[in-house]
Amino acid sequence: MSKKPVRVAVTGAAGQIGYALLFRIASGEMLGKDQPVILQLLEIPDEKAQKALKGVMMELEDCAFPLLAGMEAHSDPMTAFKDTDYALLVGARPRGPGMERADLLAANAQIFTAQGKALDKVASRNVKVLVVGNPANTNAYIAMKSAPSLPRENFTAMLRLDHNRALSQLAAKAGVKVADIEKLTVWGNHSPTMYADYRFATANGKGLKDVVNDQDWNANVFLPTVGKRGAAIIEARGLSSAASAANAAIDHMRDWALGTNGKWVTMGIPSNGDYGIPKDVMFGFPVTTKDGKYEVVKGLDIDAFSQERINKTLGELQEEQKGVAHLL
Ligand code: NAD
Ligand code: LMR
């Protein structure tokens, strides 16, 4: 094994997504079967959380993963993010009883301000950051704004779960394999306002817009199903999605690090002004990736229905941004 180990920080490491995520990172599913990793795991200082984290680390040890070159438990982002090459920010404050959306935004703003500042001070200058903890886009925006010495494009938010949910729904409707679908994207916020757009999607070279020529299904079945899937999982499981969220995080980071070979994927990224989305808004876009960099797919036609959906999800993100502006 000749590659130098890379450092991967994961926050909320003792939580349910953490439990579905760490073993796959350590087995090489995220960064490749030839890439050793050192896990730098962050949990809140609370005794119970730290003890649970130790338990997860015991299990990681018991897997004897050949690629796991080291692992550390942390309770302070300043040590957890030291020299880290990848940071998966999963831990967040869940909504508690009687908590309004503004309270949730404020509680998470504090966490992601502190973590952004820590990344700014101690992480690798090339760190790739993925924010999973909700509200993911706005938390990623806060972390980016709190890390002025890091390139802004290093901060991303997870829209990949929405993308994967849309792929499965579309494949079932069109009667094609998930693996055959290309050029699907999800615009906007990781929330029910997201806009899953299959107007450009193909399967085996055939346009899916023609196969599924059903605007009623699009507007009244497909988009609500994908948009409300998180709530449907909570309703069914009594807990929010975890394995599928971890899977999406692996997909996002793997594609960013290793490239998509020209294929489109969806990433939440700080806007450069493409498609009229104001600069820095953390927005889901179609991208391709190569050599560790992503590039927005340009020049797509936006019709009236799509523009309306994009405006709606953008409006929601701008409201969230406004809600935390005084904290930045
Ligand atoms: P969980 O409650 O099981 O675990 C979260 C863990 O984070 C807990 O162990 C907690 O102690 C820890 N934590 C909280 N604040 C922390 C901090 N400041 N630093 C380090 N650790 C901290 O939750 P989960 O099911 O693993 O979900 C985690 C987050 O991911 C939630 O915000 C959830 O809403 C979100 N989520 C996002 C998506 C997405 O697609 N973006 C999908 C599913 C879930
Ligand atoms: C999901 O999409 O499954 C989660 O973001 C839902 C949630 O609110 O935690």
Side-chain angles (χ1 to χ4, degrees):
M1 200 181 296
S2 55
K3 271 191 170 175
K4 188 170 163 262
V6 293
R7 296 181 174 274
V8 181
V10 179
T11 76
Q16 40 150 15
I17 294 177
Y19 197 69
L21 181 63
L22 297 175
F23 299 85
R24 295 185 62 187
I25 298 174
S27 73
E29 284 182 56
M30 187 170 89
L31 297 172
K33 296 284 182 185
D34 59 347
Q35 178 58 66
V37 294
I38 297 169
L39 291 176
Q40 305 187 166
L41 307 175
L42 180 67
E43 259 298 341
I44 51 173
D46 170 74
E47 200 181 319
K48 222 169 126 200
Q50 288 293 323
K51 192 172 167 205
L53 177 57
K54 293 280 160 27
V56 176
M57 292 170 75
M58 284 159 69
E59 283 205 68
L60 279 161
E61 208 172 273
D62 293 349
C63 293
F65 288 119
L67 290 171
L68 187 56
M71 81 184 134
E72 306 159 5
H74 295 273
S75 58
D76 178 351
M78 286 294 285
T79 56
F81 296 155
K82 182 91 182 83
D83 297 328
T84 198
D85 302 291
Y86 299 87
L88 291 91
L89 309 187
V90 177
R93 176 82 187 274
R95 194 198 291 256
M99 229 173 151
E100 296 298 333
R101 192 172 173 81
D103 302 329
L104 183 73
L105 276 170
N108 281 299
Q110 272 178 20
I111 294 174
F112 287 86
T113 306
Q115 294 188 356
K117 283 184 178 161
L119 285 163
D120 195 52
K121 290 214 172 66
V122 302
S124 155
R125 299 300 85 185
N126 297 318
V127 64
K128 287 180 164 56
V129 183
L130 167 63
V131 177
V132 175
N134 278 323
N137 298 52
T138 295
N139 289 341
Y141 172 82
I142 293 166
M144 174 184 79
K145 287 291 178 189
S146 306
S149 77
L150 290 171
R152 51 194 274 289
E153 62 268 22
N154 295 19
F155 289 83
T156 66
M158 193 161 93
L159 266 293
R160 188 59 176 263
L161 182 52
D162 311 78
H163 179 101
N164 288 347
R165 286 168 172 165
L167 271 180
S168 284
Q169 296 298 322
L170 186 59
K173 174 75 176 172
V176 300
K177 292 190 199 124
V178 162
D180 291 336
I181 299 182
E182 293 195 44
K183 300 189 174 175
L184 174 80
T185 195
V186 180
W187 304 91
N189 198 5
H190 170 65
S191 94
T193 66
M194 62 84 231
Y195 173 45
D197 183 358
Y198 66 91
R199 292 174 305 133
F200 312 102
T202 61
N204 305 310
K206 230 171 145 184
L208 289 179
K209 199 173 106 191
D210 301 325
V211 178
V212 185
N213 187 5
D214 186 346
Q215 181 55 13
D216 181 54
W217 177 79
N218 183 27
N220 299 316
V221 180
F222 178 61
L223 292 173
T225 302
V226 177
K228 295 180 191 158
R229 188 68 161 189
I233 305 274
I234 292 173
E235 167 66 21
R237 243 170 58 84
L239 285 168
S240 64
S241 66
S244 54
N247 181 66
I250 297 270
D251 284 352
H252 177 116
M253 280 306 210
R254 182 201 58 224
D255 285 347
W256 191 2
L258 305 180
T260 62
N261 253 329
K263 281 198 165 192
W264 297 15
V265 291
T266 302
M267 289 172 71
I269 60 169
S271 176
N272 289 314
D274 294 306
Y275 297 101
I277 308 304
K279 189 158 185 271
D280 283 356
V281 173
M282 199 59 74
F283 203 82
F285 283 102
V287 301
T288 57
T289 71
K290 198 179 169 202
D291 301 329
K293 297 205 180 314
Y294 56 80
E295 204 168 310
V296 172
V297 177
K298 302 245 171 64
L300 300 173
D301 179 49
I302 305 296
D303 62 15
F305 177 80
S306 303
Q307 191 62 60
E308 193 188 309
R309 300 293 306 216
I310 286 173
N311 290 349
K312 187 171 173 208
T313 194
L314 172 62
E316 183 183 54
L317 275 171
Q318 288 181 311
E319 276 302 306
E320 290 185 16
Q321 269 186 34
K322 249 195 250 157
V324 297
H326 64 290
L327 300 164
L328 293 178

